[in-house]
């Protein structure tokens, strides 16, 4: 299981990253890894607000994230 940090909220009326900081903090305390997403529906949205997502993760305490390739999960350092 991983929790997703999504920058899509910046494009929506909520105007901020998902999930709420309190929920992400609880996930961090439980050792739940993260993935980053921009939930792109258009090519120009790919990677949108990536820096804000990384900053949010680091402020919560995360130093790594998970990537997936060919069904395999791999932990990498946050950029």
């Amino acid at each position: 299981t991983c929790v997703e940090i999504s920058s899509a909220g910046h494009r929506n009326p909520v105007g901020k990253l998902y999930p709420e900081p309190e929920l992400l903090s609880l996930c961090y305390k439980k050792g739940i890894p993260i993935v980053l997403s921009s939930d792109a529906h258009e090519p120009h949205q790919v990677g949108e607000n990536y820096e804000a997502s990384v900053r949010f993760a680091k402020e919560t305490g995360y130093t790594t994230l998970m990537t997936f390739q060919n069904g395999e999960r791999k932990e990498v350092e946050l950029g």
Side-chain angles (χ1 to χ4, degrees), residues 33-71:
I34 58 168
V35 295
L36 302 181
S37 169
S38 54
D39 191 27
H41 293 256
E42 300 287 334
H44 70 275
Q45 295 171 333
V46 174
E48 191 173 61
N49 293 302
Y50 175 80
E51 295 82 9
S53 297
V54 169
R55 188 170 44 255
F56 182 38
K58 287 182 176 181
E59 288 170 354
T60 304
Y62 285 97
T63 58
T64 61
L65 61 87
M66 292 296 170
T67 63
F68 293 84
Q69 186 173 1
N70 299 323

Side-chain angles (χ1 to χ4, degrees), residues 1-13:
T1 299
C2 295
V3 66
E4 175 186 83
I5 294 177
S6 177
S7 64
H10 281 288
R11 294 192 305 272
N12 297 319

